[in-house]
Amino acid sequence: MGFATSRLIISAVKIPNAIPTTAQLLNLAMLTLARQPTTIFIGQSVAYPGVATYDSLDGVPMERRVEWPVAEELQTGAACGLAIAGYLPISIYPR
């Protein structure tokens, strides 16, 4: 994405600061991904607050979020299966 395109997107969502923060840009990326009807967000603290990654999903509908236990291999396998089935899984591993 070029600078002009990112400025257009930032102005469209009305990020108040002249220079957006990393958190604002991350949230913008998540909202952009959430516009696709096949996107599913899976991981720890995607449906319940607890870590900083939860805030990056502000505005993403709760029905698009699937909370997982701390079982990273299971989560990776499920994300691969979802992708094979035609979904766009966004797998979140908070660190």
Side-chain angles (χ1 to χ4, degrees), residues 54-78:
Y54 179 81
D55 294 333
S56 70
L57 298 174
D58 187 37
V60 173
M62 288 304 250
E63 59 269 10
R64 300 298 254 335
R65 304 181 195 191
V66 179
E67 187 73 21
W68 280 84
V70 181
E72 294 174 352
E73 291 85 3
L74 176 66
Q75 182 177 327
T76 301

Side-chain angles (χ1 to χ4, degrees), residues 27-80:
N27 181 247
L28 177 62
M30 296 299 187
L31 291 172
T32 302
L33 287 165
R35 281 193 229 143
Q36 297 183 37
T38 58
T39 303
I40 297 176
F41 297 84
I42 64 173
Q44 298 92 42
S45 294
V46 296
Y48 303 101
V51 297
T53 54
Y54 179 81
D55 294 333
S56 70
L57 298 174
D58 187 37
V60 173
M62 288 304 250
E63 59 269 10
R64 300 298 254 335
R65 304 181 195 191
V66 179
E67 187 73 21
W68 280 84
V70 181
E72 294 174 352
E73 291 85 3
L74 176 66
Q75 182 177 327
T76 301
C80 290

Side-chain angles (χ1 to χ4, degrees), residues 15 19-29 56:
I15 293 177
I19 299 173
T21 66
T22 302
Q24 289 171 322
L25 290 173
L26 184 57
N27 181 247
L28 177 62
S56 70

